[in-house]
Amino acid sequence: MIGTVFRSEDVPAEHRFDYWRELVHRAIAPSDITSDHAADFWAEQRLLELGPAMVWPVSVVPTRFRRTEKMVRQCDPEMYHLSLVLGGELGLDHIGLTDVYRPRDLWVTDTSEPYDVRPPHDGDRRLVTGVAVDFPKALLAVPPDRVRALLGRRLSGREGTGALLTEFLIGLDRQADFLQPSDAPRLGTVLIDLLSAWFAQVLDAEDALPPETRHRAMTAHIRAFIRQNLHDPELTPPVIAAAHHISVSYLHRLFQEPARGESEGETVAAWIRRLRLEGARRDLADPALRAVPIHTVAARRGLPRASDFTRAFRTAYGLTPKEYRLQALSPPE
């Protein structure tokens, strides 16, 4: 597991809000944190240190964060703060702009400027869920004068690089229990690359990105595209390259640098085949899919030829799909 976890139930009720507030203060730029629900406070939060970036998935009763001009003068860590809303609503006042943010909305604030993050409705106790990211301005390839155009704006996490960034942040939270501390530096690099690519896309400033950042962001795009289209048996390297307006040879060069957890030296076609087989194996071991024919399981995973599927599955796992299902679903003795 990477990161530390806070659950309000683990702290005596009278100390929950103060304990959580101190935890947040240590993680982000100083701000005044208040809540109408401090006396009956509830929150669950994880703090993930990914190299220089801090990621904190959180679910919390409505809470207000105010960073005043005095606080900016007293302490400015020179950070950008990105927030992704996943549930509930939040209002933001920043550099003269005011808006309300809803699920899959993103916003960016600058610790060098005051801000006010607040519940938009008085008395509402509905939980707010989301993921926040704090990272040094100096790591972003896009210059600050261009980033300023994004501050305080409601931005979308539903399409393009914004959707890729959104899914990466959600995946970090879901997989945190299975990740190791040794994974953190590389994940931090991937995150900064995605952030840089997203900022550049929204600002039409791709020319500001160094080549290695563009390459890593493109690879992340392509891997996400492949995962979303694994069910399509026509998903081949030429199709993938055409969808991203690159040559097949360039596609193969991008895959020479493996993503975290991926195998060294794996070709695009081999990676696709492995993902499909892993998905089919999970389905075959799922009791809820016991009645689904094996050929249907394979076809849903983009492997419509039964003989090819059986041969590839046996090569990968040492059993036929039928044998594996019987073994996986047999009651323990």
Side-chain angles (χ1 to χ4, degrees):
M1 183 184 78
I2 61 174
T4 58
V5 178
F6 169 85
R7 297 183 181 89
S8 51
E9 288 87 349
D10 296 337
V11 179
E14 64 272 20
H15 300 308
R16 287 174 182 169
F17 180 68
D18 290 338
Y19 186 97
W20 178 80
R21 182 169 55 181
E22 180 61 27
L23 181 72
V24 174
H25 269 309
R26 293 200 301 268
I28 66 174
S31 58
D32 180 27
I33 305 175
T34 60
S35 176
D36 291 342
H37 311 286
D40 186 20
F41 189 70
W42 187 94
E44 286 188 356
Q45 180 171 311
R46 188 187 295 269
L47 293 176
L48 305 172
E49 292 188 49
L50 305 182
M54 175 69 75
V55 180
W56 41 292
V58 62
S59 181
V60 62
V61 294
T63 303
R64 187 174 188 178
F65 301 77
R66 283 182 292 180
R67 181 162 166 79
T68 64
E69 291 183 0
K70 181 179 180 180
M71 289 176 172
V72 171
R73 290 194 299 270
Q74 290 174 336
C75 176
D76 183 8
E78 293 286 333
M79 307 278 279
Y80 288 125
H81 172 91
L82 173 86
S83 282
L84 164 66
V85 179
L86 294 174
E89 297 180 352
L90 280 173
L92 171 66
D93 298 329
H94 190 46
I95 66 165
L97 299 176
T98 300
D99 211 335
V100 175
Y101 298 79
R102 298 178 177 85
R104 297 278 171 157
D105 286 341
L106 295 156
W107 82 68
V108 179
T109 55
D110 182 342
T111 61
S112 301
E113 302 282 351
Y115 56 72
D116 187 354
V117 180
R118 51 183 170 64
H121 309 294
D122 292 338
D124 190 350
R125 193 178 165 81
R126 285 178 296 178
L127 293 178
V128 177
T129 60
V131 185
V133 184
D134 291 273
F135 60 100
K137 297 179 188 178
L139 292 182
L140 197 63
V142 183
D145 60 328
R146 301 186 76 169
V147 174
R148 187 173 178 83
L150 297 185
L151 300 180
R153 286 174 48 188
R154 181 153 49 91
L155 303 164
S156 175
R158 301 173 187 84
E159 63 275 323
T161 309
L164 184 60
L165 176 60
T166 292
E167 293 306 318
F168 180 81
L169 293 175
I170 293 172
L172 278 177
D173 186 29
R174 290 175 177 168
Q175 297 299 320
D177 288 336
F178 307 102
L179 297 169
Q180 301 300 316
S182 59
D183 295 319
R186 185 162 188 172
L187 288 170
T189 299
V190 173
L191 175 57
I192 295 299
D193 284 338
L194 285 175
L195 286 166
S196 295
W198 176 68
F199 276 80
Q201 182 188 62
V202 176
L203 292 168
D204 193 22
E206 281 86 352
D207 58 322
L209 299 179
E212 60 271 19
T213 296
R214 290 199 298 270
H215 293 168
R216 287 193 294 257
M218 173 65 78
T219 303
H221 262 297
I222 291 171
R223 289 182 183 273
F225 174 84
I226 290 172
R227 290 182 184 278
Q228 292 166 2
N229 292 278
L230 280 173
H231 63 279
D232 183 357
E234 301 302 318
L235 185 70
T236 61
V239 170
I240 296 164
H244 293 85
H245 311 290
I246 60 176
S247 68
V248 174
S249 61
Y250 181 57
L251 172 66
H252 288 304
R253 287 201 302 274
L254 289 175
F255 266 68
Q256 290 174 1
E257 172 63 27
R260 187 212 65 80
E262 306 298 351
S263 298
E264 293 278 359
E266 204 168 27
T267 66
V268 180
W271 190 70
I272 292 172
R273 182 170 59 252
R274 179 165 64 82
L275 291 185
R276 285 171 168 165
L277 289 173
E278 288 174 354
R281 183 175 65 162
R282 289 194 300 271
D283 291 346
L284 291 172
D286 186 346
L289 301 177
R290 183 191 299 268
V292 178
I294 290 176
H295 67 85
T296 302
V297 168
R300 288 176 179 175
R301 293 293 179 174
L303 298 162
R305 293 172 61 93
S307 59
D308 290 347
F309 170 62
T310 298
R311 183 166 53 252
F313 193 95
R314 182 164 45 201
T315 299
Y317 304 117
L319 297 170
T320 67
K322 182 178 180 180
E323 290 168 343
Y324 179 82
R325 173 180 262 180
L326 287 173
Q327 183 182 90
L329 298 180
S330 295
E333 295 182 0

